[in-house]
Amino acid sequence: MDKDEIHLRRLPAAAPWGPHADSEFHGVDFLPEDLNVAPEETGMRVNKKYSCLPAEEKGIHIINIRAIEDIGYDQHESTLLNSLSKNPDADCKYGLYFRDGKRKVDYILVYHYKKSSAGRTLTRRVHHNDSSARSTKQDQPLPGKGVQLEMGESEPHVDYHEDDKRFRREEYEGNLVEAGLELERDEDTKIHGVGFVKIHAPWNVLCREAEFLKLKMPTKKMYQINQTHGLLKKINSVIQKITEPIQPKVAEHKPQTVKRLSYPFSREKQHLFDLSDRDSFFDSKTRSTIVYEILKRTTCTKAKYSMGKGEGRKKETTLLNKRRKCGKYGITSLLANGVYSAAYPLHDGDYEGENVEPNDRKLLCEEWASYGVFYKYQPIDLVRKYFGEKIGLYFAWLGVYTQMLIPASIVGIIVFLYGCATVDENIPSMEMCDQRNNITMCPLCDRTCSYWKMSSACATARASHLFDNPATVFFSVFMALWAATFMEHWKRKQMRLNYRWDLTGFEEEEEAVKDHPRAEYEAKVLEKSLRKEHKHKETDKEKLTWKDRFPAYLTNFVGIIFMVGLTFAIVFGVIIYRISTAAALAISSTPSGRSSVRVTVTATAVIINLVVIIILDEVYGCIARWLTQIEVPKTDKNFEERLIFKAFLLKFVNAYTPIFYVAFFKGRFVGRPGDYVYIFHSFRMEECAPGGCLMELCIQLSIIMLGKQLIQNNLFEIGIPKMKKFIRYMKLKRRRSLDHEEHMKKKQRYEVDYNLEPFAGLTPEYMEMIIQFGFVTLFVASFPLAPLFALLNNIIEIRLDAKKFVTELRRPVAVRAKDIGIWYNILRGIGKLAVIINAFVISFTSDFIPRLVYLYMYSENGTMHGFVNHTLSSFNVSDFQAGTAPNDPMDLGYEVQICRYKDYREPPWSENKYDISKDFWAVLAARLAFVIVFQNLVMFMSDFVDWIIPDIPKDISQQIHKEKVLMVEVFMREEQGKLQMLETWKDNDKRKGENCNNHSPRLSRSHSGSLSSCHSYPLDV
């Protein structure tokens, strides 16, 4: 047979055509119409007959070319059905269109089926109103394929679970056709055992759903956008010329001077919209959204067998009847139950390779998802056009956040350079490094540690000044105001995007209309109603109450408490490691080993913390999802919000607990020489370095932040997808060796997209950025370079996420949203918390307040000379407890009588020796006063910034008002036109009536028909 033609045997007139006949040949439905017609007419007849069948008898009419070729009928007895071009795959653009090359594929459903080893079989379509005689027919193999069953042979084994899935698919797809969608099946793919259902939404369905969803569409009316004048116009033109090299080369990014007026689509007002090109009026993003809404609300309630474990033939009629009452088993339930394995819209085409047609995906890959354009602005409007508003808002927020990090990074670098420039002028660090002071410090541990010189900690003291200087206080205030400015700037940017994307009238209530219950929720409701029905109780309008969810709430509470306790236990274990390791290293006989004890212990402990944080982050993410699933939230929005709250709480505690310990607890509960605090009666609590704990806090923060960004955010996001892609490639390569001829064909678009990773939501993307925002703001007083490292990471992160969305993930369903949701409240909360934490870091962790107190209360000459000696207390070595004195008291070469330690206590020669001195209370009072003043002052300044910057830019509010006025004018003109037309009709009617009355009575009697026709004129019009 010629491969460019398809031939079928002409069937006799008495062939049993009809809905109950076995008419499906591997997805090929034969119709009783005469097939000797043009291909276009045949397609029209297929669609017409298909839409007129009852719901129970509707199926999917597909012409599968390869399946028909495999039938093997004689060419002499066949009739020409259709003539195809040389490459049918090219005609349908390799899966982007139906086989006719005209209808675009808007959505794909994927399912698994089992192929028999004997070859493809004829699967019959079973209807629930079939007679018993028809229902006993067995499946027959294709002619020329497999072996025919003889009369006496036993019935083949049937997988009832797979059969049940097939019946559900048939019913569901029939309901989709009844809803107006057009379907086409393809099981002849390169992926073994996987079938695809292509879905196309015709024009009338798109119009109906757009009206139901209240989608704003551009009208014919265009208006001028208000432009700046005078000096502002010149400034804007200069800025545009300067920034032109960093603008993406896409049409959507160019500044617009005119804008189309948008209005919610209405079929009654189609004349308002520009429908000159119907194919592009609804873009691919909108079409897939509309189809997804139909998929969610289309029900599937019937099945031949139960959806349980698929064992036996007995129907569970009670369960099926309840499912019919529920009537809410859409695509989410079918995906959860494995009836379909995937559902997704298609990408617009290939993004790389030769002779690739221009498409939005290719443009995004070149101008957005490439590391070579890292210096350019993002084409946010094109991102929104391709992925939808929700993903567009995420990347817009990430871009604004990254831009705002530039001034914060510059100020942080200046603060760091100021510390470097003044380190040689810092009197306290100079005193610590001066060996002439000959200050002997008390041992850092019992017995094995000996006395040591303060000058040995010179390097730590000088490094501490880089981050602990007066400029860090200014930087903390600056970052608090920066956070408030960033939030206000984002709100204004968000309003601009809402105006540009026609979301100004969009409300969340509109989304709630189409927020369908989740499959798991409906399954729980069904289970509850079945229990009540078993007890003979009323089961109408069942829903889950707090009593039903109480075990889940209790599990959530206990689980979160346990996870938080586990985090604290791990941090406590690291503390034990630090103490024991410090004691072990102190036994070292080499002086170099003893001098580097503190650095070695700190570095290794931070690395351990980093590894634990990365591992627990993944574990806590899975646990948070599981805890949310057992709660059974009703809608996807509720599920997402609860998941975000739990995941953020656990990951926040996990990431910041080690930092909180170093900042606020380390060195606070040590005790004093002769009366130290011990853990397990053997480990002494660790102390801060003589220069304070701020340097150690800086090391902890920098290593955790940089390591988390490098390993978790970038390495995992690059490495794991590459590894999964490699595994899929190896599997496909193994299959190619088995079926080389099948795999020589070019893959269809839906096959290529099926091999991509499914979209898992934006929660992981937001979460890593929120945790980073916490590193940038919460402890910025101890690490001024945090904004710089965040900026460098985000420049890579934007392009990395873009590349992942464009090349590694299936295309997500576009979701409308006017803001970033709960993440904005989390950001505001972190901004407020940052003010409090930075106040305590400056006050209690750094030496800023003790220096001020000494400078203004105790200094004799108004300088910092003598500050180090003022912060050290004295201890008589004869007061050591038994067994705690150094084993080698002569390690320094002389006998020590008095050693020093950092604290505000009375000297040993005082009456109340070793008691807390008055200086301690003076410094504590100053610290608390600073916290109160700093917190209230910065909070007031932040609120003032919030108040002084309007949420809606003035020009945007004017444009929104202008749009409303123009829309009113459009409708007023339309009403005036209707009134004028009505008045014209009335005038014509009046004139006709007068003309008829002027006739003679005879004439009027003889022409009564004419008179009646005069009065009927307006009606005819």
Side-chain angles (χ1 to χ4, degrees):
M1 179 191 296
D2 187 359
K3 291 188 176 181
D4 296 331
E5 296 178 351
I6 297 177
H7 296 275
L8 299 177
R9 175 183 298 176
R10 182 181 295 279
L11 298 177
W17 292 102
H20 304 299
D22 291 343
S23 59
E24 184 181 336
F25 290 78
H26 184 61
V28 182
D29 287 341
F30 299 95
L31 299 177
E33 286 88 7
D34 185 11
L35 296 180
N36 282 319
V37 290
E40 293 81 1
E41 188 178 348
T42 304
M44 291 174 62
R45 289 191 180 186
V46 169
N47 292 335
K48 184 177 179 181
K49 179 174 178 62
Y50 205 16
S51 60
C52 295
L53 284 173
E56 297 83 357
E57 300 178 0
K58 288 183 179 180
I60 293 77
H61 289 249
I62 309 104
I63 298 174
N64 190 304
I65 300 166
R66 180 174 290 272
I68 295 176
E69 287 181 349
D70 289 344
I71 293 175
Y73 282 120
D74 220 349
Q75 186 174 357
H76 301 290
E77 298 179 353
S78 63
T79 305
L80 179 64
L81 175 66
N82 198 356
S83 179
L84 300 177
S85 62
K86 294 297 181 184
N87 190 352
D89 289 339
D91 289 347
C92 64
K93 294 190 178 180
Y94 295 97
L96 288 174
Y97 288 82
F98 276 22
R99 284 291 178 183
D100 57 12
K102 298 176 182 178
R103 292 173 292 172
K104 188 174 183 180
V105 176
D106 299 319
Y107 218 87
I108 291 292
L109 299 179
V110 187
Y111 60 92
H112 288 274
Y113 66 94
K114 292 185 177 179
K115 290 184 178 180
S116 63
S117 58
R120 295 180 177 131
T121 59
L122 282 170
T123 58
R124 61 185 175 85
R125 178 169 287 106
V126 176
H127 305 285
H128 295 281
N129 57 357
D130 284 351
S131 63
S132 58
R134 289 194 184 100
S135 63
T136 57
K137 291 183 179 181
Q138 298 300 323
D139 294 347
Q140 298 177 4
L142 278 166
K145 296 272 185 178
V147 182
Q148 295 279 0
L149 284 175
E150 300 297 334
M151 291 297 294
E153 288 181 344
S154 61
E155 178 183 340
H157 174 71
V158 180
D159 188 340
Y160 296 110
H161 190 54
E162 291 298 320
D163 207 26
D164 182 74
K165 289 182 180 180
R166 180 169 60 84
F167 275 98
R168 283 192 169 273
R169 285 196 297 269
E170 289 175 358
E171 184 209 352
Y172 183 69
E173 291 163 10
N175 292 339
L176 291 179
V177 173
E178 187 179 9
L181 298 178
E182 297 176 4
L183 311 181
E184 186 176 81
R185 190 190 301 274
D186 184 9
E187 291 183 355
D188 181 31
T189 63
K190 297 171 69 174
I191 306 175
H192 180 74
V194 176
F196 297 88
V197 177
K198 297 173 277 189
I199 302 177
H200 168 77
W203 172 256
N204 60 330
V205 174
L206 294 173
C207 294
R208 181 191 72 205
E209 297 299 321
E211 183 174 354
F212 173 70
L213 298 175
K214 300 179 181 178
L215 296 180
K216 272 192 170 184
M217 304 303 293
T219 63
K220 297 176 183 177
K221 176 70 175 176
M222 301 182 72
Y223 67 95
Q224 194 79 18
I225 297 176
N226 293 340
Q227 300 294 320
T228 55
H229 301 285
L231 182 62
L232 284 176
K233 185 176 181 181
K234 293 180 180 178
I235 293 174
N236 286 338
S237 63
V238 171
I239 293 174
Q240 286 179 6
K241 289 180 181 178
I242 295 174
T243 59
E244 187 175 357
I246 60 175
Q247 299 290 347
K249 296 176 182 178
V250 295
E252 286 79 2
H253 200 77
K254 294 178 181 177
Q256 297 178 348
T257 56
V258 293
K259 185 178 184 290
R260 285 190 179 273
L261 196 63
S262 295
Y263 185 73
F265 188 83
S266 173
R267 286 172 289 181
E268 296 179 355
K269 294 182 171 59
Q270 286 194 30
H271 57 277
L272 295 177
F273 302 94
D274 183 12
L275 302 179
S276 57
D277 186 6
R278 290 190 172 189
D279 292 337
S280 61
F281 183 73
F282 295 105
D283 57 15
S284 59
K285 175 244 326 176
T286 307
R287 296 174 71 99
S288 63
T289 303
I290 287 173
V291 173
Y292 181 65
E293 291 302 322
I294 298 175
L295 292 176
K296 282 203 297 185
R297 71 167 185 263
T298 301
T299 59
C300 175
T301 57
K302 303 174 185 177
K304 184 175 181 182
Y305 308 109
S306 70
M307 280 296 287
K309 298 181 180 179
E311 298 173 357
R313 290 178 178 269
K314 186 178 179 180
K315 293 182 182 179
E316 296 181 6
T317 54
T318 307
L319 182 63
L320 292 177
N321 289 334
K322 290 303 298 180
R323 277 183 174 140
R324 292 189 186 99
K325 289 181 183 178
C326 253
K328 297 263 180 149
Y329 283 77
I331 189 62
T332 52
S333 296
L334 297 176
L335 287 170
N337 291 325
V339 178
Y340 291 102
S341 58
Y344 52 88
L346 292 179
H347 280 292
D348 278 358
D350 291 325
Y351 61 89
E352 61 182 359
E354 298 180 359
N355 302 323
V356 176
E357 292 186 6
N359 58 72
D360 287 342
R361 189 188 187 193
K362 185 174 185 294
L363 189 58
L364 281 173
C365 189
E366 292 171 353
E367 294 294 328
W368 182 50
S370 173
Y371 296 111
V373 294
F374 72 92
Y375 60 91
K376 288 188 176 183
Y377 285 101
Q378 298 183 85
I380 292 298
D381 291 324
L382 185 60
V383 174
R384 173 253 179 180
K385 177 185 173 185
Y386 193 79
F387 292 108
E389 287 79 6
K390 193 171 185 179
I391 293 176
L393 281 173
Y394 164 70
F395 281 103
W397 173 83
L398 185 56
V400 170
Y401 173 46
T402 305
Q403 288 176 13
M404 289 294 291
L405 282 173
I406 295 175
S409 303
I410 294 172
V411 176
I413 293 171
I414 293 173
V415 169
F416 179 74
L417 293 178
Y418 171 82
C420 295
T422 58
V423 67
D424 292 329
E425 302 172 4
N426 184 39
I427 296 175
S429 61
M430 291 171 63
E431 287 184 347
M432 289 182 65
C433 294
D434 191 356
Q435 297 183 0
R436 294 173 297 178
N437 289 332
N438 198 26
I439 299 176
T440 303
M441 303 297 293
C442 295
L444 296 174
C445 61
D446 294 342
R447 295 189 299 275
T448 56
C449 299
S450 185
Y451 306 106
W452 56 284
K453 291 284 188 180
M454 175 171 272
S455 57
S456 63
C458 175
T460 306
R462 289 174 64 86
S464 297
H465 179 73
L466 301 178
F467 307 101
D468 187 6
N469 56 68
T472 57
V473 180
F474 158 76
F475 190 57
S476 300
V477 177
F478 170 81
M479 287 303 294
L481 298 179
W482 172 87
T485 307
F486 162 60
M487 300 305 294
E488 290 305 306
H489 179 47
W490 166 243
K491 281 197 289 188
R492 290 169 64 85
K493 177 70 172 178
Q494 194 171 252
M495 279 307 302
R496 290 189 182 277
L497 293 176
N498 285 341
Y499 165 71
R500 266 178 20 213
W501 297 349
D502 299 319
L503 296 170
T504 49
F506 171 74
E507 296 296 337
E508 295 296 333
E509 288 77 13
E510 297 178 16
E511 287 295 290
V513 172
K514 57 192 184 88
D515 216 353
H516 302 276
R518 297 173 61 248
E520 293 81 359
Y521 177 84
E522 291 185 338
K524 279 286 183 183
V525 171
L526 175 63
E527 184 182 340
K528 181 181 178 182
S529 61
L530 285 174
R531 283 200 308 267
K532 286 196 172 184
E533 191 178 72
H534 184 68
K535 297 177 182 179
H536 306 290
K537 293 183 179 180
E538 186 62 33
T539 60
D540 288 341
K541 296 182 180 179
E542 282 296 336
K543 64 179 183 179
L544 297 184
T545 62
W546 69 269
K547 292 181 180 179
D548 300 317
R549 291 192 173 104
F550 180 75
Y553 290 153
L554 184 62
T555 306
N556 270 260
F557 178 76
V558 173
I560 290 175
I561 294 297
F562 175 76
M563 292 300 115
V564 172
L566 176 64
T567 304
F568 289 162
I570 291 173
V571 172
F572 183 74
V574 175
I575 294 171
I576 299 296
Y577 162 80
R578 293 159 68 110
I579 295 171
S580 58
T581 306
L585 290 176
I587 304 176
S588 173
S589 58
T590 59
S592 60
R594 286 196 295 268
S595 63
S596 61
V597 166
R598 192 180 297 275
V599 176
T600 305
V601 169
T602 300
T604 54
V606 172
I607 292 172
I608 293 172
N609 274 327
L610 174 63
V611 173
V612 169
I613 286 172
I614 291 174
I615 294 173
L616 287 185
D617 254 4
E618 303 301 320
V619 174
Y620 286 170
C622 298
I623 290 175
R625 180 168 291 276
W626 176 75
L627 291 175
T628 309
Q629 285 174 346
I630 64 174
E631 278 188 53
V632 197
K634 183 174 182 180
T635 63
D636 288 328
K637 184 178 179 182
N638 292 340
F639 181 88
E640 186 181 16
E641 289 180 350
R642 295 186 186 191
L643 174 62
I644 288 169
F645 174 75
K646 294 181 184 65
F648 174 74
L649 177 64
L650 292 175
K651 293 189 177 186
F652 182 89
V653 172
N654 180 42
Y656 295 113
T657 299
I659 301 173
F660 269 94
Y661 164 73
V662 174
F664 302 122
F665 296 100
K666 185 179 179 181
R668 309 291 173 193
F669 311 102
V670 177
R672 60 170 180 83
D675 188 22
Y676 283 115
V677 177
Y678 291 90
I679 301 174
F680 305 133
H681 303 287
S682 56
F683 296 110
R684 206 172 91 187
M685 289 294 290
E686 56 181 345
E687 305 176 42
C688 288
C693 278
L694 197 70
M695 186 60 200
E696 191 171 339
L697 176 62
C698 174
I699 295 172
Q700 184 105 3
L701 184 66
S702 59
I703 292 179
I704 290 178
M705 178 182 176
L706 296 177
K708 205 171 183 307
Q709 289 182 351
L710 181 65
I711 298 173
Q712 193 174 27
N713 296 357
N714 294 331
L715 195 61
F716 280 11
E717 288 191 19
I718 295 173
I720 292 179
K722 293 290 184 187
M723 185 174 64
K724 289 181 178 179
K725 196 172 182 180
F726 177 74
I727 292 172
R728 287 195 300 269
Y729 171 76
M730 294 303 294
K731 287 181 179 179
L732 289 174
K733 192 175 180 181
R734 209 175 296 121
R735 288 176 184 172
R736 285 195 185 102
S737 61
L738 299 175
D739 194 356
H740 179 72
E741 183 181 352
E742 183 75 13
H743 285 273
M744 286 301 290
K745 299 188 305 181
K746 182 177 178 180
K747 278 189 175 182
Q748 303 288 334
R749 177 79 264 151
Y750 42 85
E751 295 179 75
V752 176
D753 287 3
Y754 177 69
N755 288 326
L756 299 177
E757 285 294 310
F759 175 63
L762 289 171
T763 300
E765 314 299 333
Y766 272 114
M767 187 66 72
E768 65 182 71
M769 288 295 107
I770 297 296
I771 296 295
Q772 185 204 82
F773 183 78
F775 282 121
V776 169
T777 55
L778 292 180
F779 296 94
V780 75
S782 62
F783 190 41
L785 295 179
L788 174 63
F789 290 112
L791 173 64
L792 297 176
N793 174 81
N794 287 4
I795 290 173
I796 301 172
E797 181 74 20
I798 289 176
R799 307 302 163 180
L800 183 65
D801 283 347
K803 198 171 186 65
K804 181 171 68 174
F805 272 82
V806 173
T807 64
E808 300 288 343
L809 298 179
R810 293 175 190 160
R811 188 174 183 178
V813 179
V815 179
R816 285 191 300 169
K818 64 186 301 183
D819 52 41
I820 60 174
I822 193 175
W823 297 109
Y824 181 81
N825 298 327
I826 293 176
L827 285 169
R828 283 189 66 87
I830 291 177
K832 299 293 183 185
L833 184 63
V835 176
I836 301 171
I837 290 179
N838 280 307
F840 276 95
V841 167
I842 294 170
S843 181
F844 286 89
T845 308
S846 74
D847 282 339
F848 178 73
I849 299 301
R851 288 172 185 171
L852 286 181
V853 172
Y854 177 79
L855 186 64
Y856 292 106
M857 291 183 62
Y858 300 103
S859 178
E860 297 178 356
N861 52 7
T863 64
M864 293 301 296
H865 288 288
F867 170 74
V868 174
N869 187 57
H870 178 262
T871 58
L872 298 177
S873 298
S874 300
F875 178 76
N876 194 330
V877 296
S878 60
D879 294 329
F880 272 121
Q881 291 181 352
T884 61
N887 295 333
D888 186 10
M890 298 294 294
D891 185 59
L892 295 178
Y894 57 88
E895 186 178 358
V896 177
Q897 299 293 334
I898 299 292
C899 66
R900 310 295 296 273
Y901 61 98
K902 190 171 184 179
D903 205 348
Y904 291 101
R905 291 183 180 270
E906 297 291 341
W909 50 83
S910 173
E911 294 181 2
N912 303 315
K913 64 177 184 178
Y914 308 133
D915 285 349
I916 295 174
S917 64
K918 295 179 181 179
D919 298 343
F920 172 84
W921 299 111
V923 171
L924 180 62
R927 283 173 164 166
L928 293 175
F930 176 82
V931 168
I932 294 171
V933 172
F934 181 88
Q935 174 185 336
N936 287 281
L937 178 63
V938 176
M939 287 281 193
F940 170 76
M941 295 170 69
S942 300
D943 292 339
F944 179 74
V945 170
D946 192 354
W947 172 76
I948 202 172
I949 301 176
D951 293 346
I952 305 177
K954 187 177 179 180
D955 59 327
I956 296 298
S957 60
Q958 290 174 351
Q959 298 289 357
I960 293 173
H961 178 71
K962 186 177 181 179
E963 275 195 355
K964 292 179 180 178
V965 173
L966 288 173
M967 186 55 66
V968 171
E969 288 179 1
V970 169
F971 285 116
M972 289 298 292
R973 287 175 185 171
E974 187 179 357
E975 292 298 322
Q976 289 173 2
K978 289 180 181 179
L979 289 173
Q980 289 175 1
M981 190 179 296
L982 188 60
E983 289 174 359
T984 304
W985 288 348
K986 287 181 177 179
D987 291 342
N988 292 337
D989 181 33
K990 191 174 181 181
R991 289 195 200 98
K992 289 287 183 182
E994 290 174 354
N995 292 336
C996 292
N997 290 333
N998 290 335
H999 288 286
S1000 61
R1002 182 179 58 82
L1003 192 62
S1004 64
R1005 280 196 303 271
S1006 64
H1007 295 282
S1008 59
S1010 176
L1011 182 63
S1012 64
S1013 66
C1014 285
H1015 288 290
S1016 67
Y1017 172 73
L1019 251 168
D1020 295 338
V1021 171

